[in-house]
Amino acid sequence: MATKKTGHRLETEIERCRSECQWERIYELVKQLSTKLISNDDMAELLLGEGKLEQYLKDNPLKQGASPRGLRPKLTDVRKHLTAALDRGNLKPEFMQEAKLIMAKLNYVEGDYKEALSLYSKVGLDDLQLVASPPYRLRMIAEAFATKGLCLEKLSVSSSTNSLHVDRDQEIITCYEKAGDIALLYLQEIERMQMANIQNRSPKPGPASPDQELSFFLETGLQRAHVIYFKNGNLTRGVGRFREILRAVETRTTQNLRMTIARQLAEILLRGMCEQSYWNPLEEPPNQSPLDDPLCQEHGTKRYALSRRPKVYMGENIFCPKENTEEALLLLLISESMANRDAVLSRIPEHKNDRIISLQSASVVYDLLTIALGRRGQYEMLSECLERAMKFAFEEFHLWYQFALSLMAAGKSARAVKILKECIRLKPEDATIPLLAAKLCMGSLHWMEEAERFASMVVEFGDKSLEFKAKGYLALGLTYSLQATDASLRGMQEDLQRKALLAFQRAHSLSPTDHLAAFYLALQLAISRQIPEALGYVRQALQLQGDDSNSLHLLALLLSAQKHYHDALNIIDMALSEYPENFILLFTKVKLESLCRGPDEALLTCKHMLQIWKSCYNLTNPSDSGRGSSLLDRAIADRRQLNSITLPDFSDPETASDSSSLSRPESPLHLFVSSHLPHSPPKPDQIIKAPANPELSPGPQDPPLCSVHATSIAASRVEQALSEVASSLQSSTPKQGPLHPWMTLAQIWLHAAEVYIGIGKPAEATACIQEAANLFPMSHNVLYMRGQVAELRGNIDEAKRWYEEALSISPTHVKSMQRLSLILHHLGRYSLAEKILRDAVQVNSTAHEVWNSLGVVLQAQGHDDAATECFLTALELEASSPIVPFTIIPRVL
C-alpha cells in the first residue's frame, strides 16, 4: 500500500517537473522509479530522452531563421533512449504518442524534416485531445504544431500549381495559430497550478517554482503566424491575430511578448490603418479590406477548431476602442506601464545589456506615444507620460529632448527651458537646442537675460556652422530689440536698438538668402524710424519669400509711414488674398479703410471679421444671456440687410441712458451707406485719432490683449484675473476653450468702437465696448475706450475716472497717460500733466501725440523753448509714423 502511495506521489512530482520544465530534477526522479512500476524501464527511457533533449536545447538555443542540419554527437544518447522506448512498445498509448512527438522534435533539431512530418502524421497530431490533458502534454502538442509548421516552411513544394502553394501556406499558418493558442492555454494552466500550490502549500513547502520561460518552439508558435500574414499582404488577418493574443488572459511568462505585440499593433494602427478601414476588435474582420494586397488570395475566417481554447478577458465593463488612434493609445499606455514596471535601472556593469534593452524598448513606446498623442493635440498628457520616462533618462539625450519638446507644446515653457539646459549639457555641439531655449525665453516667458545668454551661446559656436551662427545673431538681435522695448530710459533704449541693428546686420551678412534676417533688419530700421533703408530690406525679404505675411504687413506699414495710404491698403488686400483669416492684417485694414475709403468700409470689415471669427472658432459667446442673442450672433445672422440689425438690451446704466431716446437702438455695424443724413466730423478737442496700440492688434503668434512690455505683461495678467472675477459675478457661463479666441473677439469690438468714436457715434461705440467688456470687463483697453466715449460726450470727469482705472491696471498704457494728461491740463493741473507725459515719453519715445501734448502743457506753463522742441520732435516723428506701430508685428524666432 505504501509502495503505491509512493509511486503515485513520484508520478505526480514527475508530471509537475515536466510541466514546469525542471529537467535537472528529472534525472533524480528517474533513479527513484521502481522497476515494478515501469516494465523494462521504458518510461525511464522516455523521460531521460526528453530531459537530455530539452537540456541540450537550453544550453544550445535555436535561433529564428537558422536551419539546423546534420547529426549532433551530443544528441546520440537522446536517440538511443527514445528508440529503445519506441522499439519495445511496452508504453501506454498516450506515452507512446509522447515518445513519437519527442522523436519528431529531435528529427527537426537534426534537420530531418521529412521524417519529423512522417512521425506527426503517424501520431495524428490534429486528433490529439486537449481536454483533461496535463499541462506538460499541452506544451508538447503546442511545440509539435510549431515544429510541423517549421518543417513545412523548410520543405519546398514539388508542384508548381498555385493552389498547392495556397494550401501549403494556409496549412503552415494553421499550424502556427494552433501552436500559439495551445501555448497560451498551457501557460495559463501552469500559472493556475502554481497559484493553487501557493495557496495550498503545506507547512513544509518544497522548492519554489522557477519563473517559466518561453521555449523557441512556443515563441515561434505565438509570433510566426502574423509574420506570415504581413509577408503575404494580408494585414487584416495579421491584425486579427494580434488582437486574439492580446485578448487572452495574461500570464507572467507572456508579459514581455504582450508588450512587444501591443507595440507592433499600435504601430500598424498608427501608420498603416485609417479610420475608414478600422473595425471594432470585438467584430469579425471584413472579408475584403483596402488594407490587404489585392493579389492576396487568403481571406475568410479560421479553418480550424480546437477542443479547448485559452481563456480571454470578458465582461460588461471592459473598454472597447472605437477608432484606430484610440486603440493605439490604449495599447501604448499598457506597454508603457509594463515598460516602467520592468525597467532595469541598475548602473552596475553586469546589468548593462539588460539596461540597454529596457531603454530601447521604452524609447520605442514613447516615440509611438508621441505620434498618437501629437495627432490629438494631447501635449499635456504626452508631457506627463514622458515625465514618467525620466527614470530611464540618465544621460539619454533622446528622452530629455522629447520631454522638452512636449513641455513646449503643452505651454509649460518654464519647465521646458530647464529641461533644454540639460539637453545642452548632454549635446553641447547642437546649436538648435539653445535656439529653442532662446525662443521660449523671449516669447511667453519674457526672460530677456536668459534669452540673450542662449543666443550668445549659439554665436560663440564659431564657424562650425554659418547657418546656425546667423540664426544666433538673429536671436540676439530680437533679444536686444525686445529689451529696448522694455527699457525705461531713452538712452538705454537707443543703445539696445543700436545693438539689435548690428546683430541683424551681422545675421543678414552671414545668411543673405534668409528672408527672416532681411525682414527683421527692415523691422528694426523701421522701429528706429529709418524708413527708406527699411523699405529696401523689406523688398529683399519679399524677393526671397514673396508670400510672407509679416513682410507684406511691414511693407504696408512702411508705406503708411510715408503717407501712401492707398498703396498700403492695396498691399494689405494682397496679403489678405493669401491669408484671409489673419486678424492682425484685418485690424490694420480697418485703420487704413477709415482714412482711404471711409468709415462705412471700415465697419464692413469689422463685420467681416466677426463672420470669420464665428466660422473659425465656433464658440458660444459668454455674453449671451436669456435676454436675447448677442450682438455677434445678430450681426452674423443677417447677411443681407445690415441696417436691420438691432442691439441687445444691455443692463449697463450707461448704455441704457444712451439709447433711451431710441425706440430701436442702431446697430454698431450699421453701414452709413443706407443713411442719407450728412455726418459732421468730430471736434479735434473731443477725440484723438492716434494710431492703434500694440495691445489693440492681436496676431496669430501673440496673445492679442498682451503688450510687448514686461510691465504690460504683468498688467495683462492682473486684468485677466480681475476680468475673470468680474465675469463670474456678472454671469455664470464661463468662456469656452482657450483664451486667445476671446481676446481676438474683444479686439474686433474695440476696433469697431474706435471707428464709431471717429465719426461721433457714442451710443454705437458704447454698445461695441460693452460687448468687449462682457468678455474682459477689467481690460485696460476696454476702460480706455470707455474714457474715449466719455470725452466724446463731453463728460470730462467721467473720462478722467476711466483713464485712471485703466492706468491702475496697466501703468504704462501710453494712450491713457496721454489722454489723462490733456484732461489734467484742461483742469489746470499742469505739473501733474507734465509728469505723466514725461513718463509716457520714457515708455514710448516715438509717440508723436505724447510729444505734442507735452509741448502744449509746457507752453501753458510758459516754457516756450522746451515746448518748441517738443513740437518739432512731434512733427518729425509724425512724418515717419505708420498707421499703427511697427511693434504690432511679432518679434519671435
Side-chain angles (χ1 to χ4, degrees):
M1 189 69 178
T3 304
K4 289 184 178 180
K5 289 183 179 180
T6 303
H8 179 69
R9 188 164 55 248
L10 193 57
E11 290 176 359
T12 303
E13 183 66 14
I14 290 174
E15 183 177 309
R16 186 183 69 83
C17 290
R18 295 180 73 186
S19 298
E20 296 178 359
C21 300
Q22 299 184 41
W23 307 115
E24 296 84 354
R25 295 205 64 216
I26 290 292
Y27 306 128
E28 301 175 6
L29 296 172
V30 168
K31 294 178 181 178
Q32 299 176 26
L33 287 175
S34 173
T35 56
K36 296 180 180 180
L37 296 177
I38 302 180
S39 177
N40 296 325
D41 291 336
D42 286 350
M43 189 62 188
E45 297 285 1
L46 170 62
L47 295 173
L48 289 172
E50 181 184 25
K52 290 182 179 181
L53 176 60
E54 296 298 337
Q55 191 63 44
Y56 172 82
L57 293 176
K58 184 178 180 180
D59 297 336
N60 303 276
L62 299 178
K63 296 181 180 180
Q64 293 287 349
S67 299
R69 286 290 181 186
L71 298 176
R72 308 196 179 204
K74 294 183 180 180
L75 297 177
T76 304
D77 289 343
V78 177
R79 185 170 291 278
K80 285 182 180 179
H81 291 304
L82 295 176
T83 302
L86 289 171
D87 289 346
R88 285 196 285 265
N90 295 326
L91 293 172
K92 294 179 181 179
E94 62 269 23
F95 295 130
M96 187 64 73
Q97 290 175 341
E98 292 176 10
K100 291 179 181 178
L101 293 178
I102 298 170
M103 181 63 81
K105 185 176 179 180
L106 174 63
N107 288 328
Y108 171 79
V109 172
E110 293 184 339
D112 194 351
Y113 309 129
K114 290 184 179 180
E115 183 61 28
L117 291 174
S118 175
L119 284 171
Y120 288 137
S121 178
K122 292 177 182 178
V123 172
L125 192 57
D126 294 326
D127 299 327
L128 295 179
Q129 291 299 313
L130 304 177
V131 180
S133 294
Y136 80 87
R137 190 173 175 85
L138 295 176
R139 176 185 55 80
M140 293 181 68
I141 296 173
E143 290 186 341
F145 275 113
T147 307
K148 181 179 178 182
L150 289 169
C151 291
L152 290 172
E153 279 197 274
K154 300 294 183 182
L155 296 175
S156 59
V157 181
S158 57
S159 174
S160 61
T161 306
N162 192 42
S163 60
L164 292 179
H165 284 281
V166 174
D167 292 342
R168 171 62 68 87
D169 288 343
Q170 183 58 42
E171 185 180 5
I172 292 171
I173 291 174
T174 301
C175 287
Y176 288 135
E177 289 187 337
K178 285 183 177 181
D181 288 344
I182 300 171
L184 292 173
L185 178 61
Y186 157 69
L187 294 171
Q188 291 173 0
E189 285 295 305
I190 284 293
E191 186 144 309
R192 182 189 62 79
M193 185 177 70
Q194 291 177 350
M195 293 300 296
N197 290 338
I198 293 174
Q199 294 174 0
N200 302 324
R201 181 171 290 174
S202 61
K204 189 177 180 181
S209 300
D211 292 337
Q212 201 70 22
E213 294 183 2
L214 281 178
S215 66
F216 165 79
F217 298 99
L218 293 182
E219 190 172 356
T220 300
L222 288 167
Q223 295 196 22
R224 187 63 183 161
H226 57 258
V227 171
I228 297 177
Y229 279 134
F230 296 142
K231 182 179 177 181
N232 293 340
N234 197 337
L235 192 63
T236 303
R237 290 288 299 275
V239 170
R241 183 59 188 167
F242 271 145
R243 288 171 169 175
E244 289 175 2
I245 297 175
L246 292 172
R247 286 190 62 198
V249 175
E250 183 180 1
T251 63
R252 287 177 296 174
T253 309
T254 57
Q255 286 178 354
N256 291 333
L257 175 66
R258 289 170 68 86
M259 186 176 71
T260 302
I261 289 178
R263 187 175 67 239
Q264 291 174 346
L265 178 55
E267 190 169 357
I268 291 171
L269 292 170
L270 290 173
R271 298 182 179 180
M273 185 181 293
C274 61
E275 295 181 2
Q276 289 73 23
S277 58
Y278 180 82
W279 73 95
N280 192 303
L282 300 180
E283 298 174 351
E284 287 293 329
N287 292 330
Q288 292 185 349
S289 172
L291 300 175
D292 299 332
D293 188 342
L295 302 178
C296 178
Q297 302 182 29
E298 176 53 38
H299 297 285
T301 58
K302 285 183 177 295
R303 298 182 180 180
Y304 70 90
L306 291 177
S307 57
R308 192 179 173 195
R309 287 192 173 276
K311 294 180 181 180
V312 297
Y313 290 108
M314 299 182 66
E316 297 180 357
N317 297 324
I318 293 180
F319 172 77
C320 182
K322 299 296 187 298
E323 50 92 19
N324 57 329
T325 308
E326 197 173 71
E327 182 177 353
L329 183 58
L330 174 64
L331 293 167
L332 291 172
L333 290 175
I334 293 173
S335 299
E336 186 217 359
S337 66
M338 298 173 69
N340 279 317
R341 181 191 59 199
D342 301 330
V344 179
L345 305 179
S346 174
R347 308 297 300 182
I348 61 176
E350 291 80 0
H351 294 165
K352 181 179 179 181
N353 291 333
D354 293 337
R355 188 177 66 252
I356 292 174
I357 293 173
S358 176
L359 171 66
Q360 290 175 345
S361 178
S363 296
V364 173
V365 172
Y366 285 113
D367 287 346
L368 292 173
L369 269 172
T370 302
I371 295 173
L373 293 172
R375 287 183 179 179
R376 295 296 188 89
Q378 298 291 335
Y379 300 111
E380 180 82 20
M381 185 177 180
L382 176 60
S383 65
E384 293 174 0
C385 292
L386 288 168
E387 187 171 5
R388 293 193 292 269
M390 288 297 99
K391 64 167 65 176
F392 299 95
F394 180 74
E395 300 294 324
E396 293 296 336
F397 171 79
H398 177 68
L399 288 177
W400 281 100
Y401 195 48
Q402 289 283 76
F403 186 33
L405 294 177
S406 69
L407 290 171
M408 286 177 60
K412 302 176 182 178
S413 302
R415 289 195 68 194
V417 171
K418 293 180 180 179
I419 303 302
L420 286 172
K421 288 181 180 178
E422 178 66 13
C423 294
I424 293 172
R425 185 189 68 81
L426 294 174
K427 204 170 182 180
E429 72 281 358
D430 192 343
T432 59
I433 305 172
L435 281 175
L436 278 177
K439 179 178 180 179
L440 289 176
C441 290
M442 73 177 65
S444 57
L445 295 175
H446 212 77
W447 294 351
M448 291 297 107
E449 292 181 359
E450 286 286 303
E452 182 181 353
R453 187 171 66 84
F454 286 123
S456 300
M457 195 181 299
V458 180
V459 170
E460 291 169 1
F461 272 20
D463 297 331
K464 297 178 181 178
S465 175
L466 292 180
E467 178 185 0
F468 287 118
K469 191 172 183 179
K471 293 290 184 184
Y473 276 110
L474 192 63
L476 197 59
L478 288 171
T479 303
Y480 289 141
S481 181
L482 292 171
Q483 285 177 327
T485 306
D486 297 338
S488 58
L489 299 177
R490 185 174 181 182
M492 186 180 296
Q493 287 180 356
E494 293 175 353
D495 182 57
L496 288 169
Q497 287 178 352
R498 185 166 55 253
K499 286 184 177 180
L501 194 59
L502 291 174
F504 288 135
Q505 289 172 343
R506 181 65 173 152
H508 183 60
S509 64
L510 289 173
S511 183
T513 59
D514 184 5
H515 78 283
L516 285 178
F519 163 72
Y520 281 117
L521 178 55
L523 178 59
Q524 190 58 43
L525 288 168
I527 293 173
S528 303
R529 292 298 191 270
Q530 301 180 43
I531 305 302
E533 294 85 352
L535 275 170
Y537 283 109
V538 78
R539 289 191 175 103
Q540 287 186 30
L542 286 170
Q543 288 175 353
L544 296 169
Q545 187 78 20
D547 59 349
D548 180 56
S549 61
N550 289 326
S551 298
L552 290 169
H553 196 184
L554 178 58
L555 177 60
L557 295 183
L558 289 169
L559 291 173
S560 72
Q562 294 183 332
K563 314 309 176 195
H564 302 316
Y565 296 120
H566 287 86
D567 293 337
L569 185 56
N570 291 335
I571 295 296
I572 292 292
D573 288 335
M574 183 191 307
L576 286 171
S577 65
E578 292 290 332
Y579 306 97
E581 297 176 355
N582 190 316
F583 285 100
I584 191 172
L585 292 172
L586 288 165
F587 289 138
T588 303
K589 183 180 179 181
V590 171
K591 302 285 185 182
L592 290 168
E593 283 183 330
S594 297
L595 290 174
C596 299
R597 299 172 184 172
D600 302 344
E601 292 294 326
L603 289 171
L604 185 61
T605 300
C606 289
K607 179 178 184 295
H608 179 59
M609 281 194 285
L610 291 174
Q611 294 171 328
I612 293 176
W613 187 93
K614 185 78 171 179
S615 62
C616 284
Y617 298 113
N618 193 25
L619 299 172
T620 301
N621 192 342
S623 64
D624 291 349
S625 64
R627 296 170 296 182
S629 301
S630 70
L631 186 58
L632 170 64
D633 290 337
R634 289 177 180 269
I636 298 301
D638 194 343
R639 296 168 181 265
R640 295 165 298 175
Q641 296 181 355
L642 298 176
N643 57 357
S644 65
I645 302 173
T646 59
L647 288 170
D649 182 17
F650 295 115
S651 60
D652 185 64
E654 263 190 25
T655 311
S657 62
D658 292 338
S659 58
S660 59
S661 61
L662 301 175
S663 58
R664 289 177 63 87
E666 193 175 16
S667 165
L669 296 183
H670 176 77
L671 296 185
F672 300 99
V673 179
S674 60
S675 175
H676 300 288
L677 296 177
H679 305 294
S680 58
K683 296 180 181 180
D685 60 345
Q686 286 182 320
I687 183 169
I688 58 172
K689 296 183 179 180
N693 194 286
E695 291 94 319
L696 293 181
S697 303
Q701 298 88 349
D702 299 311
L705 290 183
C706 292
S707 170
V708 295
H709 295 282
T711 52
S712 294
I713 288 177
S716 68
R717 293 170 181 168
V718 172
E719 71 183 42
Q720 179 183 335
L722 293 173
S723 296
E724 290 174 354
V725 173
S727 298
S728 65
L729 295 175
Q730 294 176 3
S731 173
S732 60
T733 306
K735 291 188 282 290
Q736 305 173 9
L739 200 60
H740 176 79
W742 301 113
M743 289 181 170
T744 303
L745 179 61
Q747 286 298 323
I748 296 173
W749 289 118
L750 291 179
H751 275 71
E754 192 173 355
V755 175
Y756 279 117
I757 291 173
I759 57 176
K761 289 283 185 177
E764 290 80 359
T766 302
C768 293
I769 295 170
Q770 182 60 39
E771 280 295 315
N774 289 337
L775 298 168
F776 299 98
M778 302 306 295
S779 168
H780 66 279
N781 292 311
V782 172
L783 299 175
Y784 167 75
M785 294 302 293
R786 288 191 187 277
Q788 289 284 89
V789 173
E791 277 197 83
L792 186 60
R793 293 188 181 126
N795 299 329
I796 302 300
D797 292 336
E798 183 183 355
K800 177 175 175 290
R801 178 172 61 86
W802 287 122
Y803 293 141
E804 287 175 345
E805 289 190 13
L807 288 173
S808 68
I809 295 174
S810 179
T812 58
H813 189 226
V814 173
K815 284 190 171 184
S816 296
M817 298 170 77
Q818 190 247 346
R819 292 310 306 173
L820 178 60
S821 67
L822 289 181
I823 292 175
L824 292 172
H825 168 262
H826 178 74
L827 297 176
R829 303 175 64 180
Y830 303 125
S831 298
L832 182 57
E834 181 184 353
K835 170 67 168 60
I836 293 175
L837 287 170
R838 290 189 182 277
D839 290 342
V841 168
Q842 291 294 333
V843 174
N844 185 1
S845 60
T846 60
H848 63 275
E849 304 98 334
V850 177
W851 285 104
N852 185 71
S853 300
L854 182 58
V856 171
V857 172
L858 290 172
Q859 187 179 29
Q861 297 179 78
H863 304 308
D864 295 336
D865 293 339
T868 302
E869 291 184 8
C870 291
F871 289 139
L872 290 174
T873 303
L875 286 173
E876 182 182 352
L877 290 173
E878 196 278 335
S880 60
S881 294
I883 192 68
V884 295
F886 292 111
T887 51
I888 187 178
I889 298 177
R891 282 172 285 175
V892 294
L893 281 176

